[in-house]
Amino acid sequence: AIRMTQSPSSLSASTGDRVTITCRASQGISNYLAWYQQKPGKAPNLLIYAASTLQSGVPSRFSGSGSGTDFTLTISCLQSEDFATYYCQQYYIYPRTFGQGTKVEIK
Amino acid sequence: EVQLVESGGGLVQPGGSLRLACAAVGFTVNSNYMGWVRRAPGKGLEWVSVIYSDGTTYYADSVTGRFTISRDNSKNTLYLQMNSLTTDDRAVYYCARDLVLAAGGIHVAAFDIWGQGTMVTVSS
């Protein structure tokens, strides 16, 4: 199975900050990558697919980039509602696999 | 409104079985790609299984041979039959629907609609 490794595992930031989360695949996955946001007690929410395409309804402060093995999720101006855990997921090959998650906390 | 409503979670003994159900509202299960994801306490998301509109199924290595994904078209419901449960299967289980782009009907193997989750506890 393809292993997805996110970094950092957690980070502290303030509202208004620019935040970048990275995700590395153990083998090339082209652009078959999605990013999700999950808040406590809630289901995950799809933010980005195809590495850089914003899902409908997702604010434009979220952006994704990368191809092959290295990907990034950027939040350009962190808002209070963005404090959550973020996951990358590859869908290049089965089984689909998630990264271990990055928790974004309030500084 | 498009939504997924799960049921069937609960407490089961190790080695036991449980069937989760996921009723779809606002769309038909059998014409979509549907799946399950779980999150164990204190852990991250783990992809479990998916069923395609043509009936093709895929499973995570950790559940292969023990879990079976299926659907009942007449009830517009997705199921996950879980057998030989262990304490490692304790988690919140989410059903979800894969994204299909309105333009061109392109299937994207990322989940855009999720249920609220149902808790499965495996304990003696």
PDB file of all heavy atoms in Angstrom, chain B residues 99-123:
ATOM      1  N   LEU B  99     -17.104  11.639  -5.205  1.00  0.00           N
ATOM      2  CA  LEU B  99     -17.425  12.800  -6.021  1.00  0.00           C
ATOM      3  C   LEU B  99     -17.556  12.386  -7.491  1.00  0.00           C
ATOM      4  O   LEU B  99     -16.723  11.649  -8.009  1.00  0.00           O
ATOM      5  CB  LEU B  99     -16.310  13.838  -5.878  1.00  0.00           C
ATOM      6  CG  LEU B  99     -16.363  15.076  -6.762  1.00  0.00           C
ATOM      7  CD1 LEU B  99     -17.591  15.924  -6.440  1.00  0.00           C
ATOM      8  CD2 LEU B  99     -15.087  15.878  -6.600  1.00  0.00           C
ATOM      9  N   VAL B 100     -18.614  12.862  -8.122  1.00  0.00           N
ATOM     10  CA  VAL B 100     -18.758  12.735  -9.568  1.00  0.00           C
ATOM     11  C   VAL B 100     -18.988  14.133 -10.102  1.00  0.00           C
ATOM     12  O   VAL B 100     -19.927  14.822  -9.684  1.00  0.00           O
ATOM     13  CB  VAL B 100     -19.934  11.808  -9.956  1.00  0.00           C
ATOM     14  CG1 VAL B 100     -20.120  11.811 -11.475  1.00  0.00           C
ATOM     15  CG2 VAL B 100     -19.677  10.397  -9.456  1.00  0.00           C
ATOM     16  N   LEU B 101     -18.110  14.576 -10.977  1.00  0.00           N
ATOM     17  CA  LEU B 101     -18.195  15.933 -11.481  1.00  0.00           C
ATOM     18  C   LEU B 101     -19.419  16.111 -12.370  1.00  0.00           C
ATOM     19  O   LEU B 101     -19.701  15.263 -13.220  1.00  0.00           O
ATOM     20  CB  LEU B 101     -16.924  16.284 -12.248  1.00  0.00           C
ATOM     21  CG  LEU B 101     -15.617  16.171 -11.446  1.00  0.00           C
ATOM     22  CD1 LEU B 101     -14.427  16.532 -12.311  1.00  0.00           C
ATOM     23  CD2 LEU B 101     -15.678  17.026 -10.202  1.00  0.00           C
ATOM     24  N   ALA B 102     -20.129  17.211 -12.158  1.00  0.00           N
ATOM     25  CA  ALA B 102     -21.326  17.478 -12.947  1.00  0.00           C
ATOM     26  C   ALA B 102     -20.978  17.595 -14.430  1.00  0.00           C
ATOM     27  O   ALA B 102     -21.745  17.166 -15.297  1.00  0.00           O
ATOM     28  CB  ALA B 102     -22.002  18.749 -12.445  1.00  0.00           C
ATOM     29  N   ALA B 103     -19.826  18.174 -14.701  1.00  0.00           N
ATOM     30  CA  ALA B 103     -19.400  18.334 -16.094  1.00  0.00           C
ATOM     31  C   ALA B 103     -18.716  17.059 -16.556  1.00  0.00           C
ATOM     32  O   ALA B 103     -17.617  16.734 -16.130  1.00  0.00           O
ATOM     33  CB  ALA B 103     -18.437  19.514 -16.205  1.00  0.00           C
ATOM     34  N   GLY B 104     -19.403  16.304 -17.393  1.00  0.00           N
ATOM     35  CA  GLY B 104     -18.797  15.103 -17.961  1.00  0.00           C
ATOM     36  C   GLY B 104     -18.979  13.850 -17.138  1.00  0.00           C
ATOM     37  O   GLY B 104     -18.600  12.760 -17.574  1.00  0.00           O
ATOM     38  N   GLY B 105     -19.551  13.969 -15.950  1.00  0.00           N
ATOM     39  CA  GLY B 105     -19.772  12.791 -15.127  1.00  0.00           C
ATOM     40  C   GLY B 105     -18.498  12.073 -14.730  1.00  0.00           C
ATOM     41  O   GLY B 105     -18.503  10.857 -14.502  1.00  0.00           O
ATOM     42  N   ILE B 106     -17.413  12.805 -14.624  1.00  0.00           N
ATOM     43  CA  ILE B 106     -16.115  12.206 -14.290  1.00  0.00           C
ATOM     44  C   ILE B 106     -16.101  11.793 -12.821  1.00  0.00           C
ATOM     45  O   ILE B 106     -16.435  12.578 -11.938  1.00  0.00           O
ATOM     46  CB  ILE B 106     -14.976  13.184 -14.586  1.00  0.00           C
ATOM     47  CG1 ILE B 106     -14.934  13.489 -16.092  1.00  0.00           C
ATOM     48  CG2 ILE B 106     -13.634  12.633 -14.113  1.00  0.00           C
ATOM     49  CD1 ILE B 106     -13.990  14.603 -16.463  1.00  0.00           C
ATOM     50  N   HIS B 107     -15.679  10.551 -12.579  1.00  0.00           N
ATOM     51  CA  HIS B 107     -15.587  10.026 -11.222  1.00  0.00           C
ATOM     52  C   HIS B 107     -14.255  10.415 -10.599  1.00  0.00           C
ATOM     53  O   HIS B 107     -13.196  10.198 -11.194  1.00  0.00           O
ATOM     54  CB  HIS B 107     -15.723   8.497 -11.257  1.00  0.00           C
ATOM     55  CG  HIS B 107     -15.379   7.831  -9.960  1.00  0.00           C
ATOM     56  ND1 HIS B 107     -14.516   6.753  -9.872  1.00  0.00           N
ATOM     57  CD2 HIS B 107     -15.772   8.096  -8.686  1.00  0.00           C
ATOM     58  CE1 HIS B 107     -14.400   6.381  -8.626  1.00  0.00           C
ATOM     59  NE2 HIS B 107     -15.155   7.177  -7.876  1.00  0.00           N
ATOM     60  N   VAL B 108     -14.342  11.006  -9.424  1.00  0.00           N
ATOM     61  CA  VAL B 108     -13.151  11.349  -8.644  1.00  0.00           C
ATOM     62  C   VAL B 108     -13.219  10.535  -7.366  1.00  0.00           C
ATOM     63  O   VAL B 108     -14.178  10.647  -6.601  1.00  0.00           O
ATOM     64  CB  VAL B 108     -13.104  12.853  -8.306  1.00  0.00           C
ATOM     65  CG1 VAL B 108     -11.884  13.170  -7.447  1.00  0.00           C
ATOM     66  CG2 VAL B 108     -13.109  13.692  -9.578  1.00  0.00           C
ATOM     67  N   ALA B 109     -12.227   9.700  -7.117  1.00  0.00           N
ATOM     68  CA  ALA B 109     -12.268   8.779  -5.985  1.00  0.00           C
ATOM     69  C   ALA B 109     -11.934   9.481  -4.672  1.00  0.00           C
ATOM     70  O   ALA B 109     -11.054   9.049  -3.920  1.00  0.00           O
ATOM     71  CB  ALA B 109     -11.337   7.595  -6.238  1.00  0.00           C
ATOM     72  N   ALA B 110     -12.663  10.558  -4.412  1.00  0.00           N
ATOM     73  CA  ALA B 110     -12.563  11.289  -3.154  1.00  0.00           C
ATOM     74  C   ALA B 110     -13.991  11.492  -2.668  1.00  0.00           C
ATOM     75  O   ALA B 110     -14.891  11.748  -3.462  1.00  0.00           O
ATOM     76  CB  ALA B 110     -11.862  12.631  -3.362  1.00  0.00           C
ATOM     77  N   PHE B 111     -14.204  11.398  -1.359  1.00  0.00           N
ATOM     78  CA  PHE B 111     -15.549  11.419  -0.803  1.00  0.00           C
ATOM     79  C   PHE B 111     -16.046  12.846  -0.587  1.00  0.00           C
ATOM     80  O   PHE B 111     -15.456  13.604   0.185  1.00  0.00           O
ATOM     81  CB  PHE B 111     -15.566  10.659   0.520  1.00  0.00           C
ATOM     82  CG  PHE B 111     -15.295   9.180   0.393  1.00  0.00           C
ATOM     83  CD1 PHE B 111     -14.241   8.591   1.065  1.00  0.00           C
ATOM     84  CD2 PHE B 111     -16.107   8.373  -0.394  1.00  0.00           C
ATOM     85  CE1 PHE B 111     -14.000   7.227   0.971  1.00  0.00           C
ATOM     86  CE2 PHE B 111     -15.870   7.004  -0.506  1.00  0.00           C
ATOM     87  CZ  PHE B 111     -14.818   6.432   0.185  1.00  0.00           C
ATOM     88  N   ASP B 112     -17.166  13.180  -1.233  1.00  0.00           N
ATOM     89  CA  ASP B 112     -17.678  14.538  -1.080  1.00  0.00           C
ATOM     90  C   ASP B 112     -18.907  14.633  -0.182  1.00  0.00           C
ATOM     91  O   ASP B 112     -19.222  15.704   0.334  1.00  0.00           O
ATOM     92  CB  ASP B 112     -17.997  15.168  -2.451  1.00  0.00           C
ATOM     93  CG  ASP B 112     -19.193  14.534  -3.132  1.00  0.00           C
ATOM     94  OD1 ASP B 112     -19.436  13.329  -2.918  1.00  0.00           O
ATOM     95  OD2 ASP B 112     -19.883  15.257  -3.898  1.00  0.00           O
ATOM     96  N   ILE B 113     -19.626  13.537   0.002  1.00  0.00           N
ATOM     97  CA  ILE B 113     -20.779  13.507   0.891  1.00  0.00           C
ATOM     98  C   ILE B 113     -20.524  12.448   1.965  1.00  0.00           C
ATOM     99  O   ILE B 113     -20.164  11.311   1.625  1.00  0.00           O
ATOM    100  CB  ILE B 113     -22.072  13.167   0.134  1.00  0.00           C
ATOM    101  CG1 ILE B 113     -22.312  14.187  -0.990  1.00  0.00           C
ATOM    102  CG2 ILE B 113     -23.258  13.131   1.100  1.00  0.00           C
ATOM    103  CD1 ILE B 113     -22.565  15.600  -0.512  1.00  0.00           C
ATOM    104  N   TRP B 114     -20.729  12.807   3.221  1.00  0.00           N
ATOM    105  CA  TRP B 114     -20.429  11.923   4.349  1.00  0.00           C
ATOM    106  C   TRP B 114     -21.644  11.796   5.262  1.00  0.00           C
ATOM    107  O   TRP B 114     -22.416  12.744   5.423  1.00  0.00           O
ATOM    108  CB  TRP B 114     -19.268  12.483   5.169  1.00  0.00           C
ATOM    109  CG  TRP B 114     -17.952  12.533   4.471  1.00  0.00           C
ATOM    110  CD1 TRP B 114     -17.591  13.367   3.439  1.00  0.00           C
ATOM    111  CD2 TRP B 114     -16.804  11.714   4.759  1.00  0.00           C
ATOM    112  NE1 TRP B 114     -16.287  13.112   3.071  1.00  0.00           N
ATOM    113  CE2 TRP B 114     -15.780  12.120   3.875  1.00  0.00           C
ATOM    114  CE3 TRP B 114     -16.547  10.702   5.677  1.00  0.00           C
ATOM    115  CZ2 TRP B 114     -14.511  11.524   3.870  1.00  0.00           C
ATOM    116  CZ3 TRP B 114     -15.275  10.122   5.676  1.00  0.00           C
ATOM    117  CH2 TRP B 114     -14.283  10.534   4.790  1.00  0.00           C
ATOM    118  N   GLY B 115     -21.764  10.629   5.888  1.00  0.00           N
ATOM    119  CA  GLY B 115     -22.732  10.468   6.946  1.00  0.00           C
ATOM    120  C   GLY B 115     -22.206  11.063   8.238  1.00  0.00           C
ATOM    121  O   GLY B 115     -21.071  11.536   8.301  1.00  0.00           O
ATOM    122  N   GLN B 116     -23.028  10.988   9.265  1.00  0.00           N
ATOM    123  CA  GLN B 116     -22.669  11.588  10.545  1.00  0.00           C
ATOM    124  C   GLN B 116     -21.754  10.699  11.374  1.00  0.00           C
ATOM    125  O   GLN B 116     -21.153  11.154  12.346  1.00  0.00           O
ATOM    126  CB  GLN B 116     -23.940  11.917  11.357  1.00  0.00           C
ATOM    127  CG  GLN B 116     -24.552  10.745  12.113  1.00  0.00           C
ATOM    128  CD  GLN B 116     -25.358   9.782  11.245  1.00  0.00           C
ATOM    129  OE1 GLN B 116     -25.416   9.890  10.019  1.00  0.00           O
ATOM    130  NE2 GLN B 116     -25.998   8.814  11.897  1.00  0.00           N
ATOM    131  N   GLY B 117     -21.645   9.447  10.998  1.00  0.00           N
ATOM    132  CA  GLY B 117     -20.793   8.512  11.718  1.00  0.00           C
ATOM    133  C   GLY B 117     -21.571   7.696  12.740  1.00  0.00           C
ATOM    134  O   GLY B 117     -22.548   8.169  13.326  1.00  0.00           O
ATOM    135  N   THR B 118     -21.143   6.447  12.909  1.00  0.00           N
ATOM    136  CA  THR B 118     -21.740   5.566  13.909  1.00  0.00           C
ATOM    137  C   THR B 118     -20.609   4.848  14.639  1.00  0.00           C
ATOM    138  O   THR B 118     -19.658   4.382  14.019  1.00  0.00           O
ATOM    139  CB  THR B 118     -22.743   4.583  13.279  1.00  0.00           C
ATOM    140  OG1 THR B 118     -23.415   3.858  14.303  1.00  0.00           O
ATOM    141  CG2 THR B 118     -22.064   3.590  12.341  1.00  0.00           C
ATOM    142  N   MET B 119     -20.727   4.764  15.959  1.00  0.00           N
ATOM    143  CA  MET B 119     -19.643   4.229  16.784  1.00  0.00           C
ATOM    144  C   MET B 119     -19.763   2.720  16.932  1.00  0.00           C
ATOM    145  O   MET B 119     -20.839   2.194  17.234  1.00  0.00           O
ATOM    146  CB  MET B 119     -19.661   4.878  18.167  1.00  0.00           C
ATOM    147  CG  MET B 119     -18.542   4.411  19.082  1.00  0.00           C
ATOM    148  SD  MET B 119     -16.949   5.045  18.527  1.00  0.00           S
ATOM    149  CE  MET B 119     -15.835   3.869  19.332  1.00  0.00           C
ATOM    150  N   VAL B 120     -18.660   2.035  16.712  1.00  0.00           N
ATOM    151  CA  VAL B 120     -18.565   0.596  16.935  1.00  0.00           C
ATOM    152  C   VAL B 120     -17.554   0.359  18.055  1.00  0.00           C
ATOM    153  O   VAL B 120     -16.406   0.782  17.958  1.00  0.00           O
ATOM    154  CB  VAL B 120     -18.131  -0.139  15.656  1.00  0.00           C
ATOM    155  CG1 VAL B 120     -17.850  -1.610  15.955  1.00  0.00           C
ATOM    156  CG2 VAL B 120     -19.200   0.006  14.580  1.00  0.00           C
ATOM    157  N   THR B 121     -18.005  -0.312  19.096  1.00  0.00           N
ATOM    158  CA  THR B 121     -17.135  -0.644  20.230  1.00  0.00           C
ATOM    159  C   THR B 121     -17.015  -2.156  20.327  1.00  0.00           C
ATOM    160  O   THR B 121     -18.032  -2.855  20.351  1.00  0.00           O
ATOM    161  CB  THR B 121     -17.688  -0.072  21.539  1.00  0.00           C
ATOM    162  OG1 THR B 121     -17.804   1.349  21.412  1.00  0.00           O
ATOM    163  CG2 THR B 121     -16.760  -0.393  22.703  1.00  0.00           C
ATOM    164  N   VAL B 122     -15.805  -2.646  20.346  1.00  0.00           N
ATOM    165  CA  VAL B 122     -15.549  -4.087  20.471  1.00  0.00           C
ATOM    166  C   VAL B 122     -14.891  -4.316  21.825  1.00  0.00           C
ATOM    167  O   VAL B 122     -13.759  -3.891  22.061  1.00  0.00           O
ATOM    168  CB  VAL B 122     -14.656  -4.600  19.334  1.00  0.00           C
ATOM    169  CG1 VAL B 122     -14.496  -6.124  19.437  1.00  0.00           C
ATOM    170  CG2 VAL B 122     -15.232  -4.208  17.984  1.00  0.00           C
ATOM    171  N   SER B 123     -15.635  -4.965  22.703  1.00  0.00           N
ATOM    172  CA  SER B 123     -15.139  -5.161  24.068  1.00  0.00           C
ATOM    173  C   SER B 123     -15.854  -6.328  24.718  1.00  0.00           C
ATOM    174  O   SER B 123     -17.023  -6.585  24.422  1.00  0.00           O
ATOM    175  CB  SER B 123     -15.348  -3.885  24.886  1.00  0.00           C
ATOM    176  OG  SER B 123     -14.977  -4.081  26.238  1.00  0.00           O
TER     177      SER B 123
END
